[in-house]
Amino acid sequence: MTADKALRQAYLDTIYRVRREPQPIDIRVGEANPALDELLELHGARQWAFVTASNPHSRALSDGDNAARNAELKCSLDVSGWRTLDGVGIPRRSGWQPEDSVLILGIDRDTAITLARRWQQNAIVCGKYGGLPELCWVA
């Protein structure tokens, strides 16, 4: 498996968890998610994206650096008026660490990709109400 295929597979194997009480919502690329659709409906949103600022271009940073980057990402989203929920990308493969993330409600794919590019991400997960979550390459 080439490095690009291995990286793609790692993204596909990740569980994108929205930290929501009383029950988290686990998003998987290509799998329907009624709980996510209910969340979108509750907030009057039709589209979404799951984004992190951790580990730019898949280069591992320290926990402190990743925490600072994600805090800055969340602050910028709050200032811009986006509705967000905390999340975490949970890799299914050993050797990869969970990444703090955010689910952004109401953001369209192109805007989310532009945002992810700013944070030097390779890919994000995005989707629309009633659709399947997609892996969206940034670069």
Side-chain angles (χ1 to χ4, degrees):
M1 185 178 293
T2 67
D4 288 342
K5 284 185 180 179
L7 184 61
R8 176 179 168 72
Q9 194 60 50
Y11 286 124
L12 293 173
D13 289 342
T14 296
I15 297 169
Y16 301 92
R17 178 168 290 163
V18 181
R19 293 178 172 146
R20 181 170 187 242
E21 294 298 329
Q23 181 70 33
I25 299 172
D26 286 350
I27 301 168
R28 291 179 176 87
V29 174
E31 294 184 17
N33 194 312
L36 179 58
D37 285 343
E38 288 174 16
L39 179 68
L40 291 171
E41 196 169 311
L42 178 67
H43 292 282
R46 302 298 295 169
Q47 47 203 353
W48 59 271
F50 197 93
V51 179
T52 186
S54 294
N55 303 320
H57 298 300
S58 296
R59 289 181 327 229
L61 296 181
S62 70
D63 290 345
D65 287 343
N66 282 329
R69 287 174 61 87
N70 279 300
E72 188 178 341
L73 168 62
K74 289 179 191 178
C75 182
S76 71
L77 291 168
D78 288 345
V79 166
S80 297
W82 291 107
R83 172 77 172 122
T84 63
L85 290 108
D86 288 338
V88 61
I90 304 169
R92 293 185 191 174
R93 293 180 169 197
S94 63
W96 290 66
Q97 297 300 312
E99 293 182 344
D100 285 332
S101 307
V102 291
L103 176 72
I104 309 167
L105 301 175
I107 194 168
D108 65 87
R109 177 188 176 124
D110 290 341
T111 302
I113 287 172
T114 298
L115 175 71
R117 192 172 290 127
R118 175 178 170 223
W119 291 99
Q120 302 168 313
Q121 297 302 301
N122 294 322
I124 58 173
V125 177
C126 55
K128 295 181 180 179
Y129 179 87
L132 299 179
E134 297 178 56
L135 182 63
C136 302
W137 289 100
V138 173

